[in-house]
Amino acid sequence: MAFRFDLPSRIALFPLAEAVMLPRAKLPLHVFEPRYLQMLDDTLKTDHRLIGMIQPVDDGLADIGCAGRLVAFSESDDGRMMITLRAVSRFRLTGIEEGFAPYQQAQIDWAEFARDLGGPEFDPDLDRPALLDRLCRYAELRQLSTDLKEAGKAADEVLINAFSMLLPFSPGEKQALLETRTLTERRELLEGLIDYALRCGENDEPLQ
């Protein structure tokens, strides 16, 4: 995939638990903390307009995150910013930069996720009716409102990535979904997490 900008080796980070982006997906966010409002102002001045979404882990950050391009934003009456990021590629965190910005900036490496920059992935082994049945039972268990009839019409990648991002899994489970190498591996892990929740019912404990 060709971009009108070069992928930078340094980007701003937005650490947020349980929020992951997957390639070519969109992530809407509400931003209200002053340091991250400053981050948005600074990001809009760059050619790439990339922000790195990454999950906090213990006292640090996960090794793998995903960068999204700021593609839409609007300001509410109370000063909050509603933004949309479109995922460009995952990255490996290589170092946090010390500086004067109120938010974290980091050195990153894109090399191992070159596939993210291509076109949509497909899952040749996807059993769509079986996955939709799992999703329906999980939605009933968790009392989630979702239009599975419309979701079932989505392309493989859109279907698998959307539910990997949206379902209320633990931070560790979300991170595992982010780090899968292929769409097929992600779908297999997604099905495993759903099956685990269905077996354990409402008293399940997150996988570590």
Side-chain angles (χ1 to χ4, degrees), residues 44-164:
L44 286 169
K45 296 173 184 175
T46 67
D47 292 334
H48 55 75
R49 302 208 306 269
L50 293 175
I51 293 173
M53 297 300 302
I54 195 162
Q55 292 205 108
V57 177
D58 298 324
D59 294 328
L61 298 171
D63 293 331
I64 305 297
C66 186
R69 182 170 169 82
L70 182 57
V71 295
F73 62 94
S74 62
E75 186 174 5
S76 65
D77 292 339
D78 61 3
R80 296 174 181 245
M81 294 290 289
M82 282 73 72
I83 70 170
T84 300
L85 299 178
R86 183 178 66 229
V88 170
S89 174
R90 289 168 291 175
F91 61 82
R92 181 171 291 278
L93 182 67
T94 59
I96 300 294
E97 288 197 351
E98 300 295 334
F100 297 104
Y103 52 88
Q104 290 179 306
Q105 300 178 78
Q107 292 290 332
I108 61 170
D109 186 357
W110 309 93
E112 62 192 282
F113 300 107
R115 176 63 186 85
D116 290 358
L117 301 174
E121 287 190 74
F122 300 93
D123 181 359
D125 299 321
L126 172 62
D127 184 339
R128 187 172 291 257
L131 176 57
L132 290 172
D133 176 67
R134 281 184 171 92
L135 290 168
C136 182
R137 287 185 286 132
Y138 183 89
E140 291 177 356
L141 173 67
R142 297 295 188 183
Q143 297 182 334
L144 303 176
S145 177
T146 184
D147 188 347
L148 289 176
K149 182 176 181 181
E150 286 302 313
K153 301 176 184 177
D156 294 0
E157 184 179 71
V158 174
L159 175 65
I160 294 166
N161 285 356
F163 283 100
S164 295

Side-chain angles (χ1 to χ4, degrees), residues 18 55 169-177 207-208:
E18 300 182 34
Q55 292 205 108
F169 298 129
S170 73
E173 292 164 350
K174 292 272 191 179
Q175 189 66 28
L177 287 162
L207 293 177
Q208 302 298 317

